Amino acid sequence: MIIIGEKINSSRKLIAQAIAAGDREYIQNEAKAQSDAGADYIDVNAAAFLEKEAECLGWIIETVQEVTDLPLCIDSPDPEVIKKVISLTKQPPMINSITLEPSRLDSILPLVRDYKATVIGLCQTGSKMGKTAAEKVEIAGRLIDKVTSSGIGIDALYIDPLVFPVGADVTSALATLDAIEIIMKQFQGVHTVCGLTNVSHGLPDRKLVNRTFLAEAIARGLDAAILDPADKQLHGIMRASLMLMGKDEYCMGYIKAFRKGLLA
Amino acid sequence: MIIIGEKINSSRKLIAQAIAAGDREYIQNEAKAQSDAGADYIDVNAAAFLEKEAECLGWIIETVQEVTDLPLCIDSPDPEVIKKVISLTKQPPMINSITLEPSRLDSILPLVRDYKATVIGLCQTGSKMGKTAAEKVEIAGRLIDKVTSSGIGIDALYIDPLVFPVGADVTSALATLDAIEIIMKQFQGVHTVCGLTNVSHGLPDRKLVNRTFLAEAIARGLDAAILDPADKQLHGIMRASLMLMGKDEYCMGYIKAFRKGLLA
């Protein structure tokens, strides 16, 4: 399971304040907490700072890399920003994200290749997001074609089938679960990744819904997720799910996480 | 989702004490708590009382039926005991359980037919339990043949693929999850059911493992479970899992359970 630690995101108020104040310690503590809890990548996002985004993101990258050797996940809506900051990374990063939109593909795929990066591909064309499982799988196939025909290995691609609020459409989570299973069976070597929070929009006890969705997605083959690994209830269900799927030799990942106090 | 409330089982010390003492109130409170939390059947088991089993089970059946109209799940290793007590039930019961063992089939299938009962079929021959997904599915197919050729509808059969401790064999839970998915796709109309506690034997934080297994099994199509619906964490993950699988119209089952305080 590839865990992308989601917390250093400027859409979160306390993170935005820390960036604005140049509070290195706050950012570094968030990075360390996620690293200690088993993150494989640290997501870094400064999109809320608009025209200062590249400057802020560069500062975050340098700040985080002072306290961890983990690779970063460079998270920006603007390909030009990604291009400006990617050379600051010390490890091959993940790029978050591409869609089928041609201008994004043309800007980002050369960076993926040149920096031996990995990349998240959203099941989305320029104008439209995949809603049904069939639409998601069809877009996934086209993303894979674009990536592999650019000379990038299929295993560098993390397909995010996207998930929409189940409170608005009761079939939306199932469409994503079905898409994960089909994509993982149909396109050997590719990864699937998903954010969890969107699914529970508008419902009570959102964290219960989010972590249950993670368990169900892992049961269908999901092998990466954007989440907070320091959330003990979420971490617990993730470790237990992987163990039950036979992906944890001798159950040692689960048992070690239990002993480290990471589970609840 | 068909919920079989598991608590009135003589393998539990406090239940055995209540049976031995003829403590109607204790047994009735266990029945009411499970009924209030959404059970569809109340499992009743007195197997620990050996030669007094039929007498004790008859007493439990009458005691429980004083406080609930729910159907019962008659749980006994001895077909003769089931035969003795089944006429006490006021609603068509579930029988727990058959295997492919011929003597059990010959005793129990006529009762299922005559009492319009439902029945749990374990993926087990006389001598051997199905370990791999393929073995479980093969036994399931033979159970379905036996049941339907006795003039019983396939929808009266709840197949339990069995699950073994993941701590002893890291592939054991996955075999069960795969079997659930295949059985539900291959044999339209049949149900699948599973107990949860065996999977976590020997591991720390067993309840976390059990409820995660439930979420994964629901993601693969499980439509019945033997559990304690008054366990709020378990109930929460069950309701969220069903909702995310598109099996909860307008999310009302989840929202109502939240409002009743059944989720945690």
Side-chain angles (χ1 to χ4, degrees):
Chain A
M1 189 80 179
I2 304 293
I3 301 166
I4 303 151
E6 71 183 2
K7 296 203 68 183
I8 303 178
N9 191 306
S10 60
S11 69
R12 297 180 60 221
K13 196 174 164 195
L14 292 172
I15 294 290
Q17 286 174 356
I19 297 168
D23 184 344
R24 305 175 85 77
E25 193 182 346
Y26 190 87
I27 299 292
Q28 290 176 338
N29 284 342
E30 289 281 17
K32 280 188 283 189
Q34 294 179 98
S35 169
D36 289 347
D40 297 290
Y41 288 89
I42 304 290
D43 192 88
V44 288
N45 172 301
F49 289 85
L50 303 171
E51 73 279 7
K52 293 180 72 182
E53 183 186 357
E55 182 192 332
C56 293
L57 192 53
W59 175 81
I60 296 173
I61 289 171
E62 293 180 329
T63 300
V64 169
Q65 289 183 143
E66 285 175 10
V67 293
T68 178
D69 293 329
L70 286 180
L72 306 180
C73 177
I74 304 175
D75 179 1
S76 171
D78 184 348
E80 287 308 308
V81 169
I82 296 173
K83 205 177 234 169
K84 277 187 195 155
V85 301
I86 193 168
S87 65
L88 297 173
T89 59
K90 293 183 185 168
Q91 305 279 350
M94 181 178 279
I95 295 175
N96 185 1
S97 54
I98 55 171
T99 66
L100 277 179
E101 194 182 351
S103 66
R104 270 190 95 74
L105 287 172
D106 292 345
S107 310
I108 292 178
L109 289 184
L111 297 175
V112 176
R113 195 179 47 225
D114 296 349
Y115 284 88
K116 299 186 192 312
T118 52
V119 63
I120 294 174
L122 308 180
C123 285
Q124 180 175 343
T125 65
S127 57
K128 183 180 142 188
M129 298 195 261
K131 291 276 185 183
T132 66
E135 285 168 4
K136 292 172 196 288
V137 172
E138 189 268 338
I139 295 173
R142 287 161 66 195
L143 283 165
I144 290 166
D145 282 347
K146 293 288 183 192
V147 165
T148 55
S149 66
S150 301
I152 299 163
I154 191 172
D155 60 338
L157 177 59
Y158 288 71
I159 292 177
D160 184 342
L162 303 176
V163 65
F164 303 105
V166 71
D169 174 1
V170 78
T171 68
S172 62
L174 181 59
T176 301
L177 295 169
D178 286 347
I180 288 167
E181 181 163 345
I182 296 167
I183 290 166
M184 293 302 273
K185 285 181 176 164
Q186 195 160 316
F187 305 111
Q188 295 286 318
V190 82
H191 301 277
T192 43
V193 65
C194 204
L196 307 175
T197 53
N198 204 26
V199 73
S200 60
H201 187 77
L203 288 169
D205 205 345
R206 291 188 63 177
K207 285 191 160 193
L208 167 62
V209 179
N210 298 345
R211 62 181 179 264
T212 303
F213 180 66
L214 178 63
E216 295 199 319
I218 289 173
R220 298 298 200 90
L222 187 84
D223 68 351
I226 305 169
L227 51 75
D228 175 13
D231 174 331
K232 291 184 182 190
Q233 286 186 294
L234 186 60
H235 197 107
I237 210 165
M238 179 184 72
R239 286 274 164 232
S241 297
L242 291 167
M243 176 176 68
L244 293 165
M245 283 291 286
K247 294 180 172 177
D248 182 7
E249 209 173 358
Y250 305 114
C251 305
M252 284 315 294
Y254 177 82
I255 292 169
K256 279 185 186 166
F258 174 81
R259 288 185 183 150
K260 282 178 77 174
L262 292 173
L263 314 184
Chain B
M1 190 79 179
I2 304 293
I3 301 167
I4 303 150
E6 71 183 1
K7 296 203 69 181
I8 304 178
N9 191 308
S10 60
S11 69
R12 297 180 62 221
K13 195 174 163 194
L14 292 172
I15 294 291
Q17 286 174 356
I19 297 168
D23 184 345
R24 304 174 86 77
E25 194 183 345
Y26 190 88
I27 298 293
Q28 289 176 340
N29 284 342
E30 289 281 17
K32 281 187 282 189
Q34 294 179 98
S35 169
D36 289 348
D40 297 290
Y41 287 88
I42 304 291
D43 192 88
V44 287
N45 171 301
F49 288 86
L50 305 172
E51 73 279 6
K52 292 179 75 183
E53 183 187 358
E55 182 192 331
C56 293
L57 191 53
W59 175 81
I60 296 173
I61 289 170
E62 293 180 328
T63 299
V64 169
Q65 289 185 141
E66 286 175 10
V67 293
T68 178
D69 292 330
L70 286 180
L72 305 180
C73 177
I74 304 176
D75 180 0
S76 171
D78 185 347
E80 288 307 310
V81 168
I82 296 173
K83 205 176 234 169
K84 278 186 195 155
V85 302
I86 194 167
S87 65
L88 298 172
T89 59
K90 292 182 184 168
Q91 305 279 349
M94 181 178 279
I95 294 176
N96 185 1
S97 56
I98 55 170
T99 65
L100 277 179
E101 194 182 350
S103 66
R104 270 189 96 74
L105 288 173
D106 292 344
S107 311
I108 292 177
L109 289 184
L111 297 176
V112 176
R113 194 178 49 224
D114 296 348
Y115 284 88
K116 299 186 190 314
T118 53
V119 63
I120 294 175
L122 308 180
C123 284
Q124 180 176 341
T125 65
S127 56
K128 183 179 142 189
M129 298 195 260
K131 292 276 184 183
T132 66
E135 285 168 3
K136 293 173 196 288
V137 173
E138 190 267 338
I139 295 174
R142 288 160 66 194
L143 283 166
I144 291 166
D145 282 346
K146 292 289 183 191
V147 165
T148 54
S149 66
S150 302
I152 300 162
I154 191 172
D155 60 339
L157 177 60
Y158 288 72
I159 291 177
D160 183 341
L162 302 177
V163 65
F164 303 105
V166 72
D169 175 1
V170 78
T171 68
S172 61
L174 180 60
T176 301
L177 295 169
D178 285 347
I180 289 167
E181 181 162 346
I182 297 167
I183 290 167
M184 293 302 273
K185 285 182 177 161
Q186 194 160 317
F187 306 111
Q188 294 287 317
V190 82
H191 301 278
T192 43
V193 65
C194 205
L196 307 175
T197 52
N198 203 27
V199 73
S200 60
H201 188 78
L203 289 168
D205 205 345
R206 292 189 62 176
K207 286 191 159 195
L208 167 62
V209 179
N210 298 346
R211 64 181 178 262
T212 304
F213 181 65
L214 179 63
E216 295 199 320
I218 289 173
R220 297 299 199 89
L222 187 84
D223 68 351
I226 305 169
L227 51 74
D228 175 12
D231 174 331
K232 291 184 182 187
Q233 286 185 293
L234 186 60
H235 197 106
I237 211 166
M238 179 184 70
R239 285 274 164 232
S241 297
L242 291 167
M243 176 175 69
L244 293 165
M245 283 290 287
K247 295 180 172 178
D248 181 8
E249 209 173 358
Y250 305 115
C251 305
M252 285 314 294
Y254 177 82
I255 291 168
K256 279 184 187 167
F258 174 80
R259 288 183 183 153
K260 282 178 76 175
L262 292 174
L263 313 185

